Amino acid sequence: MSRPLDSVARKQARLLQFRTAPSDLGQVIAYRPAAPVLDLAGELAQEYKRNVGSGLEVQPPYRALESVLRAAAGTWARWQWNDDSYELLCAAPISAEDRRDVFSYWAEAVVPGLDGRRIGEQLAELLARAEPRPAVLPEPPRAGRRSRGWWPGELARWRLAEELAALEWPRNNGTPVRFALCTDGRLAAIGHELPAEPDRKGIVRHLLPRITIGTAASGHSGRHALTVNAVTTLLATSWKGVATVLLANPDQPLVVAAATDGPPWKRRLNVPAVAASRRLAALPRLSKNVPPFPEHLAAGALADAAPGPVWAVAPASVRTPGLGRGHGMELFRRIEEAIDTRCEKYSHRSPVFIEVPGIKVPPTESGSRVSGPISPERIPAALDAAGVGALLVPVLWSTDEVRARVKAAIAAQWGCGEDWKAVEGVAEPAASGRIEVVFLHDKAGALGHGPHTSAERERDLAQMLAPYIREDTLVAAICETDWDPDRWYPSVEDREKAEAEDGKWPSKQALARLSATSQYIKQAPPPVPTHTREGKPYNEKYRAKKVASRQSGLDSSTANVLREILSGVGATDHRLGAAFGKLPLENWWHIGIHVRRHAQRRTPGRPRSTEPAPITATLTAMRPTSGKDDPWQIWAYSPQAGRWLSHSPAVTALHAAGLAWDVTGYRAAADEHLQARAAADIVEQALIATRTQLPEAAPAVLYVDGDSAEYIWAGLTDEALGQNPPSNLSRPASWLPGHSLPRAQRPLATVRVIGDLERIGRPTGAHMRTSDGTWRATDTTNSFFQLTTDDGTLTYPDFLLVNVPRVWAAGPAGRFGKDETRFDSGSQSKNGYAHTATRFTVITQSTGADCDLIGAVAAVLTNQGITSDVRQSTPTPLHLARRMDSTHPYYRRTAESLEDVPEADDGSTAQEETASL
């Protein structure tokens, strides 16, 4: 962390982000074999899938080689293509004998038989003869390509991990903890796994604490930096879905992180890696470095009470009662202290973020923050701003409990009064007559689970609603559902059948085809039992607390449904304007741009599809209608609608159609993805249309998710910030959204929003200047900070909004890990919560744009939710654009996984893990 500035700053952020210097890399040796290596490597690559794949999923060539190579070398190593040739990079010398054996055994495993032996001998001889030379430090990649694959950045992460692996981490009680360095660059607390209490079958599950090193988003400072985060990984008790296996012998320098091949239900370790590792482990000089990979992933290897020597990382979707996740705040403070006091190379190298003066972003209700539902007297103005004349809210119910709960919530929120009867089948006015509510019993089962198609449900719903729909009426339905995603099923087949026959999604699409938005409300869970499973009566105070908690949860979820009904039609009150406080409220359009690449579902036993994955692209535009005490209006765009529409018609047009947008009709440049070309074109068309299709032409500020959109627009990357577009840029639209427009019509700025803590660094609190001028450390902060130079004399248009999780802020019950780490706790059942943050990088596109004001507006629109009483993770325009996608009836069928991200080809092993909450 950086030392506090001796300046006028009142507060300075503490952040687990550390800048690097070229000298941190140390010695890097390159072994560059002679020219015939090109033909040999090409032959190996061609034979790889033919001999290993067998129609199943396998790792990319040479990914498993790297883990075995690093284990044999005992340090960082990389086999890569560079400057028209292959080369072996290593952080320490590798003997010719070791180079010969690793590549010889690997080639023979990839290509069995005489051909493999021939290729292996020739390749190994070329590597053994290669003379060591100093590696040439390459420039960071540009033109929109992420720098995760840049080897100096990878080695910088490794060097910091080495420093942390050398430390002993003291505990309040017991022996100190040491984290072992893995071949994938992560650190794992091998031998310090945290057990849960045995379940009813006697199975003990474990958490494996790990530390991850990431590459920070440097922003406008342009200085390479690393981030540190800690996670708790659940260890698997079965091989199904396991993506990563950790292997180690006693006193092994590096723990081998091996990725699995094959379908989820039949995992195997990479076949060449198994063959090569077993031969290398038999060599006396390497037996302590390379563990013999098991030939088969036997279930018994994971059943032991004490994990090891095989550790399997459970899929992120696995949840285990009795084990919490996350570390809490104390471990991150100890990591910060250890780096500051025992890692001299990185001590006091954090970037300087100082508090922005005069900006109020309180996370709870105050004079500049509005909470609660829209009051009844403000609903008419909110509907006017949304372009809604009359709103019909049919309540489609099946159980009396849900009907009574919704009736009570409507009476409280929409001013119907306690004596409101809510007569069945009669449309009754609410909210000063602007809303009509009608309760309709779903006797036809239009919402029920079963094999009914969307078209059949649409017909039944149309008949139910026909008597109440007028030409000038917008419909927003409240629908009852009993689907519970956490419900337990006796088999996978039963779960798949239940999901296929879930009535929520086809009925939601049927309502969208009737131009109706919808919100679903779950049935109440079973009552709190009076006796335990053993037949003993519960303590009355304990049971009363559980009953009150159950009812509070039901009331809260019902009230939130009514809030979402109004926001779903684009109605919001003055809360966004009031949140500006003393900031000027400019008549700008705030446009959120959301692009998502779809996951391509794989057919078991068949190769991955070669068809390009489709995308979803959605945009929302919002602006104040007048002053700070007036509502905002919201418009939306999707390629399915083809034009800007008021929010509700745009959402129903998207939800009534297929979510996927085919990209095969687009032509991409040589270094461009089809998805990037399609997304850039769609967004550019939408921005051009804002001049004629939105109610009024006005300056615009764009909000884009930097974690998912940097591969689309080259100007969003750290390397391109502050630069002019390159002369060889294929199209203006691929630089920044709106860049192809005439200069006078371009947006004021694009705000790159980053929420991934691997690119931000975990906040650990702040340094605050007291009234007597001294500095003291605070453990928590919710403040808004701005990046400055190291001496604090110059600020950058880069901002950081730090957040304390709601559960932690609510009180002591949610503060596990506040004063002790998981290693010191006697129970592992609670979740540990720590700071989160959102980073805003303002990229100007128009001369004279006020970057400081735009950054402050981004923070205000993140802090003030449109419906929620807590902070959002992104500004409201981007939040609404994402929600158009995530609330689509079939969103979950297209949800993206990590291995489907187009820019993830960096040679690192994709791992499934749960970050600290």
Side-chain angles (χ1 to χ4, degrees), residues 650-836:
V651 171
T652 54
L654 176 65
H655 290 185
L659 183 58
W661 188 258
D662 187 15
V663 301
T664 54
Y666 295 85
R667 290 186 179 181
D671 60 346
E672 188 178 34
H673 293 281
L674 272 177
Q675 291 84 0
R677 173 63 187 265
D681 284 357
I682 291 170
V683 170
E684 213 69 7
Q685 292 167 11
L687 295 178
I688 292 171
T690 59
R691 309 292 300 182
T692 57
Q693 295 177 8
L694 290 180
E696 181 181 337
V701 176
L702 311 183
Y703 302 86
V704 179
D705 185 343
D707 294 325
S708 62
E710 285 182 0
Y711 81 99
I712 302 172
W713 292 286
L716 292 178
T717 61
D718 284 329
E719 296 79 18
L721 294 179
Q723 305 292 322
N724 293 321
S727 57
N728 60 349
L729 189 69
S730 57
R731 296 175 303 110
S734 64
W735 179 247
L736 284 171
H739 188 71
S740 68
L741 275 65
R743 188 174 297 274
Q745 297 179 14
R746 289 178 187 171
L748 294 174
T750 294
V751 180
R752 186 186 72 176
V753 182
I754 294 177
D756 184 0
L757 286 172
E758 185 177 339
R759 301 187 66 195
I760 298 174
R762 179 77 67 169
T764 57
H767 284 295
M768 180 177 291
R769 186 191 292 271
T770 60
S771 57
D772 60 1
T774 59
W775 290 88
R776 66 178 180 86
T778 64
D779 290 339
T780 61
T781 182
N782 276 300
S783 298
F784 181 49
F785 300 92
Q786 185 170 9
L787 179 65
T788 74
T789 54
D790 289 349
D791 59 3
T793 58
L794 178 67
T795 59
Y796 296 107
D798 249 303
F799 302 88
L800 184 71
L801 181 62
V802 182
N803 182 56
V804 174
R806 177 181 54 174
V807 178
W808 197 98
R815 297 181 182 178
F816 175 82
K818 175 181 179 292
D819 299 312
E820 63 178 6
T821 68
R822 278 196 179 276
F823 299 108
D824 301 311
S825 175
S827 172
Q828 303 299 330
S829 61
K830 293 184 178 181
N831 288 331
Y833 297 89
H835 285 95
T836 59

Side-chain angles (χ1 to χ4, degrees), residues 359-361 576 579-580 583 801 855-865:
I359 307 297
K360 290 188 176 181
V361 281
L576 292 174
F580 277 66
L583 286 175
L801 181 62
V857 168
V860 167
L861 294 179
T862 302
N863 183 67
Q864 176 64 70

Side-chain angles (χ1 to χ4, degrees), residues 14-16 228-229 332 757 760-764 834-836 916-917:
R14 297 160 55 196
L15 195 67
L16 289 182
V228 181
N229 196 15
F332 296 105
L757 286 172
I760 298 174
R762 179 77 67 169
T764 57
H835 285 95
T836 59
S916 188
L917 300 173

Side-chain angles (χ1 to χ4, degrees), residues 329-387:
M329 295 195 178
E330 177 61 19
L331 180 64
F332 296 105
R333 287 193 287 267
R334 294 191 185 184
I335 292 174
E336 177 188 48
E337 180 185 6
I339 293 176
D340 275 352
T341 58
R342 291 185 283 167
C343 298
E344 183 179 353
K345 186 187 298 183
Y346 301 94
S347 177
H348 304 296
R349 274 205 197 166
S350 289
V352 178
F353 283 89
I354 62 173
E355 187 180 35
V356 179
I359 307 297
K360 290 188 176 181
V361 281
T364 56
E365 187 172 2
S366 74
S368 58
R369 195 177 195 283
V370 179
S371 300
I374 300 176
S375 59
E377 59 272 15
R378 289 188 179 269
I379 288 178
L383 293 177
D384 287 340

Side-chain angles (χ1 to χ4, degrees), residues 226-295:
L226 305 176
T227 64
V228 181
N229 196 15
V231 298
T232 53
T233 298
L234 179 67
L235 294 179
T237 55
S238 73
W239 290 110
K240 182 176 180 182
V242 168
T244 302
V245 178
L246 303 179
L247 305 158
N249 293 326
D251 301 322
Q252 185 175 309
L254 296 179
V255 176
V256 176
T260 59
D261 289 337
W265 61 91
K266 193 177 180 181
R267 289 302 197 193
R268 67 181 183 190
L269 288 176
N270 182 259
V271 174
V274 171
S277 73
R278 296 181 76 85
R279 294 181 67 181
L280 291 169
L283 299 175
R285 71 176 189 279
L286 295 179
S287 59
K288 291 184 178 181
N289 286 21
V290 183
F293 284 25
E295 293 192 41

